[in-house]
Amino acid sequence: MSIVRRLEPIHLKSLRDHVHDTLREAIISGRFRTDEKLNERQLAAELGISTTPLKEALRQLETEGLVRTEARRGSYVTFNARQAEEMMLARAALESVMAQQAARHATDAQIALMKTHIEQMRAALQEADIARLIELNEYFHDTIHDASSCEYLRRLQNGQRMYDHAARVTVLADETERVRSFAEHEAIMLAIAERNEDEAERLMREHVMLAGEKHLITVFSYTPAEKRK
Amino acid sequence: MSIVRRLEPIHLKSLRDHVHDTLREAIISGRFRTDEKLNERQLAAELGISTTPLKEALRQLETEGLVRTEARRGSYVTFNARQAEEMMLARAALESVMAQQAARHATDAQIALMKTHIEQMRAALQEADIARLIELNEYFHDTIHDASSCEYLRRLQNGQRMYDHAARVTVLADETERVRSFAEHEAIMLAIAERNEDEAERLMREHVMLAGEKHLITVFSYTPAEKRK
DNA sequence: AGTTGAAATTTGATATATCAAGCTGTGAAA
DNA sequence: TTTCACAGCTTGATATATCAAATTTCAACT
């Protein structure tokens, strides 16, 4: 059906992307205070680069919503509990749409791959191999993104990848969560395999919301205003 | 309850933002072919600026998903019917979450403002004042965004503002659509006023999807793969 | 005819220099 | 004590110069 790819194309990452990733990771893992000022020259000096790639990275962080820039004033970190909650809401919204699209567009090969992931997760769950579980978790979601054929949505989602990873690490540390998470993943896979778009969407939404709320409570001791009915 | 704002803060828009807006508008309204290459020096020369602000604008467009940059190769426009469909899906996902949050967080003053918008829309609808209707439409959605207290989601959504505007212009040109759109807006406002979060979310989602599909069909003669059940 | 490879050229990536807006602090005038 | 003006400094915005990767061209070779 499709030609086997012998070699992956080479992608060099530019200095800008490197800076972008580095800053993003630092902000999300809390190494910058909220509203901390980011001095272009000082940061560039710290990183040992010129201001040009740094400025570009700041612009990317800005559109991602992690940095706010006031003209001729400076750039400031923007990250707090409310923002983390919004990132969870955004993730729930986007992932659920992609799950719905995956139920519509997935190839049989992609569905088979998801089934494989589920089986590997079942094994990792029993062995309590958390690192492996996190890895499989990300493969599973990636496969769904792939299957959705949603390039644009994926890119939007991508800005949150670091945050999603942090959330997974937190949530999967807890045994009860691991068991529930696995059951949810299996249900999502089955809904996609059955081409049940609405069910896939609903389940994914529920899955992300539950994991997200757990993460918020654990890390920020933050409970969303009130539970939805 | 809240202090009346006497003066709006002054916001100078930088050259970068100007370039960003200009290019975004040009791409979405189709003045660049899909996959057209964007030559940094040539574009900078055309705009009469240096490459620095242009590069920054390109980075913003890149995270917004309208431009794709391959390191040491160049930047290319990314916009086609499938992407337009995905933008519609993203809008539906994000706007519906904001509607849900608005039902939770809106102040009485914000709800009153929305009611005002609805009444003004009713008048504009009867007079078939399309320009006014488009304007009110945008005020109405903005008020919901405000009421949701979702800064981050708003920012994500903001990358699509131009596209949303284009969609409104297309859709509201049609009388049947105007009438339906108005009814949907009124229902959304009522759901938010009643603090019915789930209903507000569902209605907003439906509203955006219907308008989006109409727009796709009109502009791209593009029907999404198949209607959802 | 097809392939190869090195020179020429294009172009994005990066560095550096310059400009101008905003902040700070001092001191004099009211 | 308060106000205000101005100088000096900081810093983001912008322009320009330099570097190096990628593409193209075209002739030599098989």
Side-chain angles (χ1 to χ4, degrees):
Chain A
M1 184 180 284
S2 69
I3 294 168
V4 176
R5 184 166 288 175
R6 303 288 300 278
L7 295 171
E8 284 297 312
I10 294 171
H11 288 300
L12 296 174
K13 69 178 152 213
S14 61
L15 197 45
R16 169 220 322 152
D17 289 333
H18 211 266
V19 173
H20 179 211
D21 288 347
T22 305
L23 285 179
R24 181 158 67 180
E25 202 275 334
I27 292 172
I28 287 174
S29 54
R31 263 175 282 144
F32 287 93
R33 269 176 296 108
T34 299
D35 289 325
E36 179 162 351
K37 179 162 188 182
L38 298 174
N39 182 308
E40 291 192 355
R41 286 176 194 181
Q42 182 189 321
L43 263 182
E46 269 182 51
L47 294 164
I49 58 171
S50 83
T51 62
T52 313
L54 178 69
K55 287 174 80 66
E56 293 186 70
L58 285 177
R59 295 297 85 76
Q60 296 186 287
L61 291 168
E62 194 183 351
T63 31
E64 279 173 21
L66 292 176
V67 158
R68 158 180 47 93
T69 298
E70 296 175 23
R72 281 164 241 275
R73 291 275 177 80
S75 298
Y76 302 85
V77 171
T78 299
F79 191 69
N80 53 35
R82 169 64 179 165
Q83 172 138 355
E85 184 188 1
E86 286 188 52
M87 288 179 88
M88 181 266 285
L89 290 172
R91 192 186 158 209
L94 297 176
E95 290 260 18
S96 59
V97 172
M98 285 196 271
Q100 180 257 323
Q101 290 279 302
R104 181 178 298 183
H105 297 297
T107 64
D108 291 342
Q110 285 165 331
I111 290 173
L113 182 56
M114 287 168 47
K115 285 186 179 168
T116 310
H117 289 148
I118 293 290
E119 289 317 311
Q120 290 171 324
M121 280 170 156
R122 194 193 306 279
L125 179 67
Q126 285 188 325
E127 294 166 26
D129 184 343
I130 299 180
R132 175 73 175 146
L133 215 45
I134 292 170
E135 186 185 44
L136 287 169
N137 202 313
E138 287 171 2
Y139 289 163
F140 181 73
H141 282 276
D142 268 351
T143 305
I144 292 177
H145 298 165
D146 243 341
S148 72
S149 312
C150 290
E151 278 186 62
Y152 176 76
L153 293 180
R154 225 178 156 169
R155 191 182 304 268
L156 278 189
Q157 175 74 53
N158 206 40
Q160 308 190 10
R161 189 163 234 165
M162 296 279 186
Y163 179 73
D164 295 347
H165 178 78
R168 284 197 183 96
V169 172
T170 308
V171 171
L172 292 178
D174 183 273
E175 157 117 47
T176 315
E177 294 296 322
R178 286 202 293 276
V179 173
R180 194 188 61 203
S181 181
F182 173 76
E184 290 167 357
H185 280 145
E186 189 170 27
I188 290 167
M189 182 274 286
L190 288 173
I192 292 175
E194 288 168 10
R195 306 291 181 187
N196 190 335
E197 296 181 16
D198 291 339
E199 186 70 358
E201 176 167 356
R202 197 184 62 75
L203 289 172
M204 178 62 89
R205 185 186 174 82
E206 203 66 18
H207 170 60
V208 174
M209 292 288 282
L210 287 173
E213 282 169 10
K214 172 73 184 175
H215 177 239
L216 285 176
I217 291 168
T218 309
V219 176
F220 294 96
S221 312
Y222 179 85
T223 313
E226 67 189 287
K227 290 282 190 177
R228 295 174 63 214
K229 283 188 294 291
Chain B
M1 185 178 280
S2 69
I3 296 168
V4 177
R5 185 166 287 175
R6 303 289 298 277
L7 294 171
E8 284 297 312
I10 295 172
H11 287 300
L12 296 173
K13 66 182 152 207
S14 61
L15 199 44
R16 171 218 321 152
D17 290 333
H18 211 266
V19 173
H20 179 211
D21 287 348
T22 305
L23 285 179
R24 181 158 68 178
E25 202 274 334
I27 291 172
I28 286 173
S29 55
R31 264 174 282 145
F32 287 93
R33 269 177 295 109
T34 300
D35 288 325
E36 180 162 350
K37 179 163 187 181
L38 298 174
N39 183 309
E40 291 191 355
R41 287 179 193 181
Q42 181 189 322
L43 264 182
E46 270 182 52
L47 293 164
I49 59 170
S50 83
T51 61
T52 313
L54 178 69
K55 289 174 77 68
E56 293 186 69
L58 286 176
R59 295 296 84 76
Q60 296 186 288
L61 291 168
E62 192 183 351
T63 32
E64 280 174 20
L66 293 176
V67 157
R68 158 181 46 93
T69 299
E70 297 174 22
R72 283 161 238 276
R73 290 274 176 80
S75 298
Y76 302 85
V77 171
T78 299
F79 192 68
N80 53 36
R82 169 63 178 166
Q83 173 138 356
E85 184 188 2
E86 286 187 52
M87 288 179 89
M88 182 266 286
L89 290 171
R91 191 185 159 211
L94 297 176
E95 290 260 18
S96 58
V97 171
M98 284 194 272
Q100 180 257 323
Q101 290 279 302
R104 181 178 299 184
H105 298 295
T107 65
D108 292 343
Q110 285 164 330
I111 290 173
L113 182 56
M114 287 168 47
K115 284 186 181 169
T116 311
H117 290 148
I118 293 290
E119 289 317 311
Q120 291 172 322
M121 281 171 155
R122 195 192 305 279
L125 179 66
Q126 286 187 324
E127 295 168 26
D129 184 345
I130 299 181
R132 176 73 175 146
L133 214 45
I134 291 170
E135 187 185 44
L136 286 168
N137 202 313
E138 287 171 2
Y139 289 163
F140 180 73
H141 282 276
D142 268 350
T143 305
I144 292 178
H145 298 165
D146 243 341
S148 72
S149 312
C150 290
E151 277 186 62
Y152 177 76
L153 293 180
R154 224 177 158 170
R155 190 183 303 268
L156 277 189
Q157 176 74 52
N158 206 41
Q160 308 190 8
R161 189 163 234 164
M162 296 281 184
Y163 179 73
D164 296 346
H165 178 77
R168 282 197 185 96
V169 172
T170 308
V171 172
L172 292 178
D174 182 272
E175 157 117 48
T176 315
E177 294 295 322
R178 285 202 294 276
V179 173
R180 193 188 62 202
S181 181
F182 173 76
E184 288 167 357
H185 280 145
E186 188 170 29
I188 290 168
M189 181 274 285
L190 289 172
I192 292 175
E194 287 169 10
R195 307 292 181 185
N196 190 334
E197 296 182 16
D198 290 339
E199 187 71 355
E201 176 166 357
R202 196 184 63 74
L203 288 172
M204 178 62 89
R205 184 185 176 83
E206 203 67 17
H207 169 60
V208 174
M209 292 288 283
L210 287 174
E213 281 169 10
K214 172 74 183 174
H215 177 240
L216 286 176
I217 291 168
T218 309
V219 176
F220 294 96
S221 313
Y222 179 84
T223 313
E226 67 190 287
K227 291 280 188 177
R228 295 174 63 214
K229 284 189 295 291

